Amino acid sequence: YNTAFLGQYAPGSTFKIATSLGLIRKGMTPGPPVRCDPESSADGQKYENADGYPAAYNGEITLTEAVAHSCNTAFVSEFGNLSQRQLAQAAGALGIGMKADIGLDAFFGSINPEESGTAHAAAMIGQGTVQVSPLALAALVASVVKGEAVVPQLAEGHDAGAELPEVPELTDTEAEQLRTMMRAAVTDGYLSSLAELPGGPVIGKTGTAEYGSGEPHKTHSWVIAAQGDLAISVFVEDGDLGSVTGAPLAKKFLQAAAG
């Protein structure tokens, strides 16, 4: 089973990059404050931040800080300001939901634009019915780096001409704002272990996605990162927090690529 190409998993907080793009398109910028509370309710459902969330970043923080420290409640609290359809359009601008012939079967993610209520609130933090593959998230971060939706190419002779979602395209300004926030995740957030890698500056985002019905929930561990023109996605199906399980793997990969 080709997990990297065909897996369908909740992306967790890595999807906050798509949510941030949606919020930018609603007039937000990386600087002005958003509200990060220890818990938040949406349509009667309670949401909390991950265990170990730094108390110093509760209250009013910037959108950049909300990305860097992965404040769930800051994003959930905006679910009334960003519709599910607008969220899906933002994800589509980063390649989520594209169709492409790359030489092997591949799943590039899905997000139902008609979700509402708690399902929509969950989608704001990459839970609910949002699904991606590791390849889809690698394409997402590559799109942020390049400033346009990137279509992966694998096998020579295959036409990778993609059927991209019919949504407003990513602009240079939007991409620069996303890169600024993802850089902060490295310089000031959960990916600080990547800050001193040799080579150019690294950008990235951690993600932890709950799955299953047991208590406590099992979690997928994610990291997306980029350095120069290299974009990667790290996925561990049954892991700890993205910063705990995924970050060391991302560091080893980027170190090897630079070496």
Side-chain angles (χ1 to χ4, degrees), residues 80-148:
N81 299 324
L82 180 69
S83 72
Q84 181 77 359
R85 184 166 295 278
Q86 290 167 332
L87 178 60
Q89 289 176 340
L94 298 172
I96 299 298
M98 77 169 86
K99 300 183 186 299
D101 172 19
I102 64 170
L104 290 176
D105 290 339
F107 172 70
F108 288 101
S110 66
I111 173 171
N112 182 355
E114 305 302 328
E115 296 283 20
S116 60
T118 55
H120 169 46
M124 297 284 283
I125 56 173
Q127 295 274 183
T129 60
V130 180
Q131 298 277 280
V132 297
S133 65
L135 177 63
L137 281 191
L140 179 147
V141 68
S143 300
V144 171
V145 172
K146 191 173 182 181
E148 63 184 54

Short mmCIF file of all heavy atoms in Angstrom, two decimals, residues 80-148:
data_model
loop_
_atom_site.label_atom_id
_atom_site.label_comp_id
_atom_site.label_asym_id
_atom_site.label_seq_id
_atom_site.Cartn_x
_atom_site.Cartn_y
_atom_site.Cartn_z
N GLY A 80 -16.83 31.35 12.09
CA GLY A 80 -17.96 32.13 11.62
C GLY A 80 -17.59 33.21 10.62
O GLY A 80 -18.45 33.77 9.95
N ASN A 81 -16.29 33.52 10.50
CA ASN A 81 -15.82 34.56 9.59
C ASN A 81 -15.30 34.00 8.28
O ASN A 81 -15.09 34.76 7.33
CB ASN A 81 -14.70 35.37 10.27
CG ASN A 81 -15.17 36.05 11.53
OD1 ASN A 81 -16.31 36.50 11.61
ND2 ASN A 81 -14.29 36.12 12.54
N LEU A 82 -15.05 32.70 8.23
CA LEU A 82 -14.53 32.05 7.02
C LEU A 82 -15.41 30.86 6.72
O LEU A 82 -15.42 29.88 7.49
CB LEU A 82 -13.08 31.61 7.23
CG LEU A 82 -12.40 30.92 6.05
CD1 LEU A 82 -12.16 31.91 4.91
CD2 LEU A 82 -11.07 30.29 6.49
N SER A 83 -16.17 30.90 5.65
CA SER A 83 -17.08 29.81 5.34
C SER A 83 -16.32 28.56 4.91
O SER A 83 -15.14 28.64 4.52
CB SER A 83 -18.05 30.22 4.23
OG SER A 83 -17.37 30.29 2.98
N GLN A 84 -16.99 27.43 4.97
CA GLN A 84 -16.36 26.19 4.52
C GLN A 84 -15.99 26.27 3.05
O GLN A 84 -14.95 25.77 2.63
CB GLN A 84 -17.31 25.01 4.76
CG GLN A 84 -16.76 23.65 4.36
CD GLN A 84 -15.76 23.07 5.33
OE1 GLN A 84 -15.44 23.69 6.34
NE2 GLN A 84 -15.29 21.86 5.05
N ARG A 85 -16.83 26.90 2.25
CA ARG A 85 -16.53 27.03 0.82
C ARG A 85 -15.28 27.88 0.61
O ARG A 85 -14.43 27.57 -0.23
CB ARG A 85 -17.73 27.64 0.08
CG ARG A 85 -17.54 27.71 -1.44
CD ARG A 85 -18.85 27.99 -2.13
NE ARG A 85 -19.79 26.89 -1.95
CZ ARG A 85 -19.79 25.79 -2.68
NH1 ARG A 85 -18.89 25.63 -3.65
NH2 ARG A 85 -20.68 24.84 -2.46
N GLN A 86 -15.15 28.96 1.37
CA GLN A 86 -13.96 29.80 1.26
C GLN A 86 -12.72 29.06 1.74
O GLN A 86 -11.64 29.22 1.17
CB GLN A 86 -14.16 31.09 2.06
CG GLN A 86 -15.19 32.03 1.45
CD GLN A 86 -15.62 33.14 2.39
OE1 GLN A 86 -15.59 32.98 3.62
NE2 GLN A 86 -16.04 34.26 1.84
N LEU A 87 -12.87 28.23 2.77
CA LEU A 87 -11.76 27.41 3.25
C LEU A 87 -11.34 26.41 2.17
O LEU A 87 -10.15 26.22 1.91
CB LEU A 87 -12.16 26.68 4.52
CG LEU A 87 -11.13 25.72 5.13
CD1 LEU A 87 -9.85 26.47 5.51
CD2 LEU A 87 -11.72 25.03 6.36
N ALA A 88 -12.32 25.79 1.52
CA ALA A 88 -12.03 24.84 0.45
C ALA A 88 -11.35 25.52 -0.72
O ALA A 88 -10.44 24.95 -1.36
CB ALA A 88 -13.32 24.15 0.00
N GLN A 89 -11.75 26.75 -1.03
CA GLN A 89 -11.12 27.48 -2.12
C GLN A 89 -9.66 27.80 -1.80
O GLN A 89 -8.79 27.71 -2.67
CB GLN A 89 -11.89 28.76 -2.40
CG GLN A 89 -13.25 28.54 -3.05
CD GLN A 89 -14.04 29.82 -3.23
OE1 GLN A 89 -13.78 30.82 -2.56
NE2 GLN A 89 -15.01 29.80 -4.12
N ALA A 90 -9.40 28.17 -0.55
CA ALA A 90 -8.02 28.45 -0.14
C ALA A 90 -7.16 27.19 -0.25
O ALA A 90 -6.03 27.23 -0.75
CB ALA A 90 -7.99 29.00 1.28
N ALA A 91 -7.70 26.06 0.20
CA ALA A 91 -6.97 24.80 0.08
C ALA A 91 -6.72 24.45 -1.38
O ALA A 91 -5.63 23.99 -1.76
CB ALA A 91 -7.74 23.69 0.78
N GLY A 92 -7.72 24.69 -2.22
CA GLY A 92 -7.58 24.40 -3.65
C GLY A 92 -6.50 25.24 -4.30
O GLY A 92 -5.81 24.77 -5.22
N ALA A 93 -6.32 26.48 -3.83
CA ALA A 93 -5.26 27.33 -4.38
C ALA A 93 -3.88 26.79 -4.07
O ALA A 93 -2.90 27.13 -4.74
CB ALA A 93 -5.41 28.75 -3.83
N LEU A 94 -3.79 25.91 -3.06
CA LEU A 94 -2.52 25.28 -2.69
C LEU A 94 -2.45 23.84 -3.21
O LEU A 94 -1.60 23.06 -2.78
CB LEU A 94 -2.37 25.30 -1.17
CG LEU A 94 -2.31 26.71 -0.55
CD1 LEU A 94 -2.35 26.63 0.98
CD2 LEU A 94 -1.07 27.45 -1.02
N GLY A 95 -3.34 23.51 -4.13
CA GLY A 95 -3.29 22.21 -4.81
C GLY A 95 -4.12 21.11 -4.20
O GLY A 95 -4.19 20.02 -4.78
N ILE A 96 -4.75 21.36 -3.06
CA ILE A 96 -5.57 20.31 -2.44
C ILE A 96 -6.80 20.05 -3.31
O ILE A 96 -7.55 20.97 -3.64
CB ILE A 96 -6.00 20.72 -1.02
CG1 ILE A 96 -4.78 20.94 -0.13
CG2 ILE A 96 -6.94 19.68 -0.41
CD1 ILE A 96 -3.91 19.72 0.07
N GLY A 97 -6.97 18.80 -3.69
CA GLY A 97 -8.11 18.42 -4.53
C GLY A 97 -7.80 18.37 -6.01
O GLY A 97 -8.68 18.05 -6.82
N MET A 98 -6.55 18.63 -6.42
CA MET A 98 -6.21 18.54 -7.84
C MET A 98 -6.29 17.10 -8.33
O MET A 98 -6.29 16.15 -7.54
CB MET A 98 -4.80 19.10 -8.09
CG MET A 98 -3.68 18.16 -7.69
SD MET A 98 -2.04 18.69 -8.27
CE MET A 98 -1.54 19.78 -6.97
N LYS A 99 -6.33 16.94 -9.62
CA LYS A 99 -6.24 15.63 -10.25
C LYS A 99 -5.09 15.70 -11.24
O LYS A 99 -4.98 16.65 -12.02
CB LYS A 99 -7.55 15.26 -10.96
CG LYS A 99 -8.74 15.20 -10.02
CD LYS A 99 -9.99 14.76 -10.75
CE LYS A 99 -11.21 14.84 -9.83
NZ LYS A 99 -11.09 13.99 -8.65
N ALA A 100 -4.21 14.70 -11.21
CA ALA A 100 -3.05 14.71 -12.09
C ALA A 100 -2.57 13.29 -12.36
O ALA A 100 -2.62 12.44 -11.48
CB ALA A 100 -1.92 15.53 -11.48
N ASP A 101 -2.12 13.06 -13.58
CA ASP A 101 -1.51 11.78 -13.96
C ASP A 101 -0.01 11.91 -13.73
O ASP A 101 0.69 12.59 -14.47
CB ASP A 101 -1.80 11.48 -15.42
CG ASP A 101 -1.02 10.27 -15.92
OD1 ASP A 101 -0.56 9.47 -15.08
OD2 ASP A 101 -0.88 10.14 -17.15
N ILE A 102 0.49 11.27 -12.67
CA ILE A 102 1.93 11.37 -12.39
C ILE A 102 2.65 10.05 -12.61
O ILE A 102 3.82 9.91 -12.29
CB ILE A 102 2.17 11.87 -10.96
CG1 ILE A 102 1.65 10.88 -9.92
CG2 ILE A 102 1.56 13.24 -10.76
CD1 ILE A 102 2.09 11.22 -8.50
N GLY A 103 1.94 9.06 -13.15
CA GLY A 103 2.57 7.77 -13.42
C GLY A 103 2.17 6.69 -12.43
O GLY A 103 2.32 5.51 -12.71
N LEU A 104 1.68 7.08 -11.28
CA LEU A 104 1.11 6.17 -10.29
C LEU A 104 -0.17 6.81 -9.75
O LEU A 104 -0.31 8.03 -9.76
CB LEU A 104 2.07 5.93 -9.12
CG LEU A 104 3.33 5.11 -9.37
CD1 LEU A 104 4.19 5.07 -8.11
CD2 LEU A 104 2.97 3.68 -9.79
N ASP A 105 -1.07 5.99 -9.29
CA ASP A 105 -2.28 6.53 -8.68
C ASP A 105 -1.89 7.39 -7.48
O ASP A 105 -1.00 7.05 -6.70
CB ASP A 105 -3.20 5.40 -8.20
CG ASP A 105 -3.83 4.63 -9.35
OD1 ASP A 105 -3.88 5.19 -10.46
OD2 ASP A 105 -4.27 3.49 -9.13
N ALA A 106 -2.58 8.52 -7.34
CA ALA A 106 -2.27 9.44 -6.24
C ALA A 106 -3.53 10.17 -5.82
O ALA A 106 -4.40 10.47 -6.63
CB ALA A 106 -1.20 10.45 -6.67
N PHE A 107 -3.61 10.43 -4.52
CA PHE A 107 -4.73 11.16 -3.93
C PHE A 107 -4.21 12.51 -3.47
O PHE A 107 -3.28 12.59 -2.66
CB PHE A 107 -5.29 10.37 -2.74
CG PHE A 107 -6.31 11.10 -1.92
CD1 PHE A 107 -7.57 11.37 -2.43
CD2 PHE A 107 -6.02 11.51 -0.62
CE1 PHE A 107 -8.53 12.04 -1.67
CE2 PHE A 107 -6.96 12.18 0.15
CZ PHE A 107 -8.22 12.44 -0.38
N PHE A 108 -4.81 13.59 -3.98
CA PHE A 108 -4.33 14.93 -3.68
C PHE A 108 -5.22 15.68 -2.69
O PHE A 108 -5.15 16.90 -2.60
CB PHE A 108 -4.16 15.73 -4.97
CG PHE A 108 -2.99 15.27 -5.79
CD1 PHE A 108 -3.17 14.47 -6.90
CD2 PHE A 108 -1.70 15.61 -5.43
CE1 PHE A 108 -2.09 14.02 -7.65
CE2 PHE A 108 -0.60 15.18 -6.17
CZ PHE A 108 -0.80 14.37 -7.28
N GLY A 109 -6.01 14.93 -1.95
CA GLY A 109 -6.76 15.54 -0.87
C GLY A 109 -8.18 15.89 -1.24
O GLY A 109 -8.56 15.96 -2.42
N SER A 110 -8.99 16.09 -0.21
CA SER A 110 -10.38 16.47 -0.42
C SER A 110 -10.87 17.27 0.78
O SER A 110 -10.46 17.03 1.91
CB SER A 110 -11.26 15.24 -0.62
OG SER A 110 -11.31 14.45 0.56
N ILE A 111 -11.74 18.22 0.52
CA ILE A 111 -12.43 18.98 1.55
C ILE A 111 -13.82 19.30 1.03
O ILE A 111 -13.97 19.88 -0.04
CB ILE A 111 -11.66 20.25 1.96
CG1 ILE A 111 -12.49 21.10 2.92
CG2 ILE A 111 -11.19 21.04 0.77
CD1 ILE A 111 -11.74 22.27 3.53
N ASN A 112 -14.83 18.89 1.76
CA ASN A 112 -16.22 19.08 1.36
C ASN A 112 -16.60 20.55 1.57
O ASN A 112 -16.61 21.03 2.70
CB ASN A 112 -17.13 18.18 2.19
CG ASN A 112 -18.58 18.29 1.80
OD1 ASN A 112 -18.96 19.12 0.97
ND2 ASN A 112 -19.42 17.47 2.39
N PRO A 113 -16.92 21.28 0.50
CA PRO A 113 -17.23 22.70 0.66
C PRO A 113 -18.59 22.97 1.30
O PRO A 113 -18.91 24.13 1.61
CB PRO A 113 -17.21 23.23 -0.78
CG PRO A 113 -17.55 22.04 -1.62
CD PRO A 113 -16.94 20.87 -0.92
N GLU A 114 -19.37 21.91 1.52
CA GLU A 114 -20.72 22.09 2.06
C GLU A 114 -20.82 21.82 3.56
O GLU A 114 -21.92 21.91 4.12
CB GLU A 114 -21.70 21.17 1.31
CG GLU A 114 -21.69 21.34 -0.21
CD GLU A 114 -22.02 22.75 -0.65
OE1 GLU A 114 -22.81 23.43 0.06
OE2 GLU A 114 -21.50 23.19 -1.69
N GLU A 115 -19.72 21.50 4.22
CA GLU A 115 -19.79 21.23 5.66
C GLU A 115 -20.20 22.48 6.43
O GLU A 115 -19.95 23.61 6.00
CB GLU A 115 -18.44 20.75 6.18
CG GLU A 115 -17.97 19.42 5.60
CD GLU A 115 -18.67 18.23 6.21
OE1 GLU A 115 -19.76 18.38 6.80
OE2 GLU A 115 -18.10 17.12 6.10
N SER A 116 -20.82 22.26 7.59
CA SER A 116 -21.23 23.39 8.42
C SER A 116 -21.12 23.00 9.88
O SER A 116 -20.82 21.85 10.22
CB SER A 116 -22.67 23.81 8.08
OG SER A 116 -23.56 22.73 8.32
N GLY A 117 -21.36 23.96 10.77
CA GLY A 117 -21.39 23.68 12.20
C GLY A 117 -20.08 23.13 12.71
O GLY A 117 -19.00 23.62 12.37
N THR A 118 -20.16 22.08 13.52
CA THR A 118 -18.95 21.54 14.15
C THR A 118 -18.00 20.94 13.11
O THR A 118 -16.79 20.96 13.30
CB THR A 118 -19.32 20.47 15.19
OG1 THR A 118 -20.14 19.47 14.58
CG2 THR A 118 -20.09 21.09 16.35
N ALA A 119 -18.55 20.38 12.03
CA ALA A 119 -17.68 19.82 10.99
C ALA A 119 -16.85 20.91 10.34
O ALA A 119 -15.67 20.71 10.02
CB ALA A 119 -18.52 19.08 9.95
N HIS A 120 -17.46 22.08 10.14
CA HIS A 120 -16.72 23.20 9.57
C HIS A 120 -15.67 23.71 10.56
O HIS A 120 -14.53 23.98 10.19
CB HIS A 120 -17.68 24.32 9.18
CG HIS A 120 -17.01 25.61 8.85
ND1 HIS A 120 -15.91 25.69 8.01
CD2 HIS A 120 -17.28 26.90 9.22
CE1 HIS A 120 -15.53 26.96 7.89
NE2 HIS A 120 -16.34 27.70 8.63
N ALA A 121 -16.04 23.82 11.83
CA ALA A 121 -15.09 24.27 12.85
C ALA A 121 -13.90 23.32 12.92
O ALA A 121 -12.74 23.76 13.02
CB ALA A 121 -15.77 24.37 14.21
N ALA A 122 -14.16 22.01 12.86
CA ALA A 122 -13.07 21.03 12.89
C ALA A 122 -12.17 21.16 11.67
O ALA A 122 -10.95 21.00 11.76
CB ALA A 122 -13.65 19.62 12.99
N ALA A 123 -12.77 21.46 10.52
CA ALA A 123 -11.98 21.61 9.30
C ALA A 123 -11.00 22.77 9.40
O ALA A 123 -9.94 22.74 8.77
CB ALA A 123 -12.89 21.80 8.10
N MET A 124 -11.32 23.78 10.19
CA MET A 124 -10.43 24.93 10.35
C MET A 124 -9.07 24.52 10.91
O MET A 124 -8.07 25.22 10.71
CB MET A 124 -11.08 25.97 11.27
CG MET A 124 -12.37 26.58 10.74
SD MET A 124 -12.14 27.79 9.45
CE MET A 124 -11.58 29.22 10.38
N ILE A 125 -9.03 23.39 11.63
CA ILE A 125 -7.76 22.91 12.20
C ILE A 125 -7.39 21.54 11.63
O ILE A 125 -6.67 20.77 12.25
CB ILE A 125 -7.80 22.88 13.74
CG1 ILE A 125 -8.97 22.04 14.26
CG2 ILE A 125 -7.88 24.30 14.28
CD1 ILE A 125 -8.96 21.84 15.78
N GLY A 126 -7.89 21.26 10.42
CA GLY A 126 -7.47 20.05 9.72
C GLY A 126 -8.01 18.75 10.28
O GLY A 126 -7.40 17.70 10.12
N GLN A 127 -9.16 18.83 10.92
CA GLN A 127 -9.81 17.62 11.43
C GLN A 127 -11.15 17.44 10.70
O GLN A 127 -11.32 17.94 9.60
CB GLN A 127 -10.01 17.72 12.95
CG GLN A 127 -8.71 17.75 13.74
CD GLN A 127 -8.14 16.37 14.06
OE1 GLN A 127 -7.12 16.24 14.74
NE2 GLN A 127 -8.76 15.33 13.56
N GLY A 128 -12.06 16.70 11.27
CA GLY A 128 -13.34 16.48 10.61
C GLY A 128 -13.18 15.63 9.38
O GLY A 128 -12.51 14.59 9.41
N THR A 129 -13.74 16.08 8.26
CA THR A 129 -13.73 15.27 7.04
C THR A 129 -12.61 15.67 6.08
O THR A 129 -12.51 15.11 4.99
CB THR A 129 -15.07 15.38 6.31
OG1 THR A 129 -15.32 16.75 5.96
CG2 THR A 129 -16.21 14.86 7.19
N VAL A 130 -11.74 16.61 6.47
CA VAL A 130 -10.61 16.98 5.60
C VAL A 130 -9.65 15.79 5.50
O VAL A 130 -9.29 15.19 6.51
CB VAL A 130 -9.86 18.20 6.16
CG1 VAL A 130 -8.69 18.56 5.23
CG2 VAL A 130 -10.80 19.38 6.33
N GLN A 131 -9.24 15.46 4.28
CA GLN A 131 -8.34 14.34 4.06
C GLN A 131 -7.22 14.74 3.10
O GLN A 131 -7.45 15.47 2.12
CB GLN A 131 -9.10 13.15 3.45
CG GLN A 131 -10.22 12.58 4.33
CD GLN A 131 -9.69 11.61 5.37
OE1 GLN A 131 -9.41 10.45 5.09
NE2 GLN A 131 -9.55 12.11 6.58
N VAL A 132 -6.02 14.26 3.39
CA VAL A 132 -4.88 14.50 2.51
C VAL A 132 -4.01 13.24 2.48
O VAL A 132 -4.14 12.36 3.33
CB VAL A 132 -4.01 15.68 2.98
CG1 VAL A 132 -4.79 16.99 2.96
CG2 VAL A 132 -3.42 15.42 4.35
N SER A 133 -3.13 13.21 1.51
CA SER A 133 -2.03 12.23 1.51
C SER A 133 -0.75 12.98 1.86
O SER A 133 -0.68 14.21 1.75
CB SER A 133 -1.89 11.59 0.13
OG SER A 133 -1.50 12.56 -0.83
N PRO A 134 0.31 12.27 2.25
CA PRO A 134 1.59 12.95 2.42
C PRO A 134 2.04 13.68 1.16
O PRO A 134 2.60 14.78 1.24
CB PRO A 134 2.54 11.80 2.79
CG PRO A 134 1.65 10.83 3.52
CD PRO A 134 0.35 10.88 2.75
N LEU A 135 1.78 13.10 -0.01
CA LEU A 135 2.14 13.77 -1.26
C LEU A 135 1.38 15.07 -1.42
O LEU A 135 1.94 16.08 -1.86
CB LEU A 135 1.85 12.84 -2.44
CG LEU A 135 2.10 13.43 -3.84
CD1 LEU A 135 3.57 13.78 -4.02
CD2 LEU A 135 1.65 12.46 -4.92
N ALA A 136 0.10 15.08 -1.06
CA ALA A 136 -0.71 16.29 -1.19
C ALA A 136 -0.14 17.41 -0.33
O ALA A 136 -0.11 18.58 -0.75
CB ALA A 136 -2.15 16.00 -0.80
N LEU A 137 0.34 17.08 0.88
CA LEU A 137 0.90 18.12 1.74
C LEU A 137 2.27 18.57 1.26
O LEU A 137 2.64 19.74 1.43
CB LEU A 137 0.98 17.63 3.19
CG LEU A 137 -0.32 17.65 3.98
CD1 LEU A 137 -0.05 17.40 5.46
CD2 LEU A 137 -1.07 18.97 3.81
N ALA A 138 3.05 17.67 0.65
CA ALA A 138 4.32 18.09 0.05
C ALA A 138 4.05 19.08 -1.08
O ALA A 138 4.76 20.08 -1.24
CB ALA A 138 5.09 16.88 -0.46
N ALA A 139 3.00 18.82 -1.87
CA ALA A 139 2.63 19.74 -2.94
C ALA A 139 2.13 21.06 -2.38
O ALA A 139 2.39 22.13 -2.94
CB ALA A 139 1.57 19.11 -3.83
N LEU A 140 1.44 21.02 -1.24
CA LEU A 140 0.95 22.25 -0.61
C LEU A 140 2.11 23.15 -0.22
O LEU A 140 2.12 24.35 -0.53
CB LEU A 140 0.09 21.91 0.61
CG LEU A 140 -0.49 23.07 1.43
CD1 LEU A 140 -1.85 22.70 2.00
CD2 LEU A 140 0.44 23.48 2.58
N VAL A 141 3.11 22.59 0.48
CA VAL A 141 4.22 23.44 0.92
C VAL A 141 5.06 23.88 -0.28
O VAL A 141 5.57 25.01 -0.31
CB VAL A 141 5.07 22.75 2.01
CG1 VAL A 141 5.82 21.56 1.48
CG2 VAL A 141 6.03 23.73 2.65
N ALA A 142 5.17 23.05 -1.31
CA ALA A 142 5.87 23.45 -2.52
C ALA A 142 5.16 24.63 -3.19
O ALA A 142 5.80 25.54 -3.73
CB ALA A 142 5.97 22.28 -3.49
N SER A 143 3.84 24.62 -3.13
CA SER A 143 3.06 25.71 -3.71
C SER A 143 3.30 27.01 -2.96
O SER A 143 3.38 28.09 -3.57
CB SER A 143 1.56 25.36 -3.68
OG SER A 143 1.31 24.18 -4.42
N VAL A 144 3.42 26.93 -1.64
CA VAL A 144 3.73 28.12 -0.84
C VAL A 144 5.09 28.68 -1.24
O VAL A 144 5.28 29.89 -1.38
CB VAL A 144 3.68 27.79 0.67
CG1 VAL A 144 4.20 28.97 1.49
CG2 VAL A 144 2.27 27.42 1.10
N VAL A 145 6.07 27.80 -1.44
CA VAL A 145 7.41 28.23 -1.80
C VAL A 145 7.42 28.87 -3.18
O VAL A 145 8.00 29.95 -3.38
CB VAL A 145 8.39 27.05 -1.76
CG1 VAL A 145 9.75 27.45 -2.33
CG2 VAL A 145 8.55 26.54 -0.34
N LYS A 146 6.77 28.24 -4.13
CA LYS A 146 6.83 28.71 -5.52
C LYS A 146 5.89 29.88 -5.77
O LYS A 146 6.11 30.68 -6.68
CB LYS A 146 6.50 27.56 -6.48
CG LYS A 146 6.80 27.88 -7.93
CD LYS A 146 6.64 26.68 -8.83
CE LYS A 146 7.00 27.03 -10.28
NZ LYS A 146 6.83 25.87 -11.18
N GLY A 147 4.83 29.99 -4.97
CA GLY A 147 3.86 31.06 -5.18
C GLY A 147 2.78 30.72 -6.17
O GLY A 147 2.05 31.60 -6.62
N GLU A 148 2.63 29.46 -6.48
CA GLU A 148 1.56 28.98 -7.34
C GLU A 148 1.38 27.49 -7.10
O GLU A 148 2.27 26.84 -6.57
CB GLU A 148 1.87 29.23 -8.81
CG GLU A 148 3.10 28.49 -9.32
CD GLU A 148 3.44 28.82 -10.76
OE1 GLU A 148 3.59 30.01 -11.08
OE2 GLU A 148 3.57 27.87 -11.57
#
